[in-house]
Every structure is written in C-alpha cells, then in structure tokens.
Amino acid sequence: MGSIEAGWNAFTTGDYAQAEAIFTALLTDPAHAGEGHHLARFGLGYVWAYTGRFSKARSVYQALLHDARARGDGWAAHRAQHQVGMVERLAGDWPAAQACFEAERQMIEALGCPDLPVSVNAYELGTVALHLGQPGRAKGWLDLCLETAACTTDRVALGCAHRALGDWHDVQGEATAATVQWRAAEAAFLAAGDSQAIADLQGRLNRIERA
C-alpha cells in the first residue's frame, strides 16, 4: 500500500500517478485513520494541483481549512489557507492567490508571526505581486522573506528567498544584482541538498551569462 513518505517520494520525483495511487489507498486504510487520512488528503491535493485538476485540489484544501477552523487549530488553518493560495497561483488566478495569501498573513499574525511561516508567506506575496506588475510591493515582501528566512535554520527557505529576489532584479533588468542573489540561493540549496532547485537556478544563470 505504501506510506505517506512513499507518496511524497513519488511526488517529488514527478511520479504523480504513483503518488496519487498511494495517497488514495491510504484514505481507505483504517490503519491510517485520523492524522494519516489528513496527511493523505493533503498530499492528494498537491497531486491534483500539480496535474491541473484545480477544482479538486481547491476543494480538498478548503475542506481541510474548514476542518481546522472547526477544531480551533490555527496552525492547521494557516497551512490549509496557504495551500488554497498555491492552487490559485498554479491555476493562474493571481488576484485570487494574492487574496488567499493576504488572508494567511493575518492568520500568521494571530499566531505570533513565527519566522518560517512569515518567510514562506512573504515569498508568495512577493512572487504574486511581481507577477501582477507591483514591483515596489513585491520588493517589500521579498526583503521580509529574506530577513525572516535568515533567522531560521531552513536552508531551502533561505534559498527560495534569494532566488525570488534574484527574479525581482532580473525583471528590473538588473543582471548583476540578480546573479548575486541567485548565487546566494545556489549556496543555500547546495547546503540543503536540493539538486532540483540547483538545476533550476543553473538555467537562470546560464541565460544571464548568454545575454
């Protein structure tokens, strides 16, 4: 049948069909009732979002958000709200994504503004604002993203912050500043052992070098 870990391993290697099969099977397994079913639903939402089944993904995360609110679990609620925003971003509804992440920001404030959730939320708000043609607003969020990521031990979060700031400079036509940020991101992802993120950055750096 597999496990939650096996489902995520399949997902991260791009085997979405296998990930979906594992998460779906876990939902029918009484041995994984409770938290196991919750995690399987969460994983299934990712699979649906990344395979373009946005309505199904949106529904599962909205249901998880409703459940979290009913339990009074603010942490689970903000995570589910974040995933609703992710679905809207992947679906290309940028204004809806922005509204979702703004709502999540308020949830995080109510939780005391811990650094990692603030950083991840600011990353999304900055990325969406940049896409919507709001460079000043985007820069403010991405500076906050880097500032808070640097206060954590999460090298992936730090890499994402530097990468996003590099993207911001790239959009502004500032190739040198973009390269500096992307190189910092590369170092952070290397420390985290994230080979996929490093390969993605190499594409950005190669494009700059060829320009």
Side-chain angles (χ1 to χ4, degrees):
M1 173 172 290
S3 63
I4 295 295
E5 183 180 5
W8 281 114
N9 286 341
F11 177 86
T12 56
T13 58
D15 191 346
Y16 298 136
Q18 177 66 7
E20 182 172 6
I22 292 171
F23 289 136
T24 300
L26 289 171
L27 284 174
T28 64
D29 182 6
H32 287 82
E35 182 64 11
H37 283 183
H38 171 88
L39 294 173
R41 291 166 70 197
F42 200 90
L44 203 51
Y46 257 94
V47 173
W48 288 336
Y50 274 77
T51 53
R53 287 171 284 177
F54 302 119
S55 180
K56 295 183 73 171
R58 189 181 294 111
S59 293
V60 75
Y61 288 126
Q62 286 174 340
L64 289 172
L65 175 59
H66 179 271
D67 292 348
R69 283 174 168 162
R71 298 194 309 273
D73 188 338
W75 291 97
H78 107 73
R79 288 191 293 269
Q81 179 69 39
H82 186 89
Q83 298 314 119
V84 176
M86 177 200 72
V87 173
E88 300 299 359
R89 172 170 54 77
L90 289 172
D93 192 339
W94 296 90
Q98 189 173 56
C100 286
F101 293 126
E102 285 285 1
E104 185 203 12
R105 178 183 61 80
Q106 295 176 23
M107 294 177 177
I108 292 170
E109 286 181 355
L111 294 169
C113 294
D115 288 321
L116 186 57
V118 169
S119 182
V120 174
N121 175 255
Y123 171 88
E124 293 287 2
L125 283 168
T127 299
V128 171
L130 184 61
H131 189 90
L132 289 172
Q134 303 164 353
R137 189 175 186 181
K139 185 62 160 54
W141 286 122
L142 296 178
D143 284 342
L144 176 63
C145 174
L146 179 58
E147 177 186 338
T148 47
C151 294
T152 76
T153 59
D154 193 316
R155 299 300 90 183
V156 171
L158 186 63
C160 288
H162 281 298
R163 182 182 62 198
L165 277 166
D167 291 346
W168 186 91
H169 286 293
D170 186 38
V171 170
Q172 311 315 309
E174 301 168 358
T176 300
T179 300
V180 168
Q181 292 292 341
W182 287 337
R183 287 297 183 192
E186 186 178 43
F189 288 134
L190 183 62
D194 192 333
S195 57
Q196 184 173 351
I198 293 170
D200 179 64
L201 275 170
Q202 197 57 55
R204 286 168 163 82
L205 290 163
N206 289 342
R207 174 173 55 78
I208 288 288
E209 290 170 1
R210 289 195 301 266

